[in-house]
Amino acid sequence: MSKIALVAAASAVFVLGACEKHKRPAPMEPVAAPIYVEPVSTKGKY
């Protein structure tokens, strides 16, 4: 009985590993553009 359980467990690991290897990579989401604030001149205010 333990040999059957050992073979079943080894088969499950092999099948899951093979399926994981063929899985498609997740699509990449575009990176948001960095927030840019234009510099404001402070000449003449003070």
Side-chain angles (χ1 to χ4, degrees):
M1 184 70 177
S2 65
K3 287 183 182 179
I4 294 173
L6 184 61
V7 169
S11 299
V13 169
F14 176 75
V15 169
L16 291 175
C19 290
E20 188 69 26
K21 185 176 162 184
H22 294 291
K23 191 185 269 189
R24 291 183 184 174
M28 298 284 292
E29 298 212 4
V31 178
I35 298 173
Y36 179 73
V37 178
E38 299 230 357
V40 178
S41 174
T42 57
K43 288 183 179 179
K45 282 190 176 181
Y46 298 105

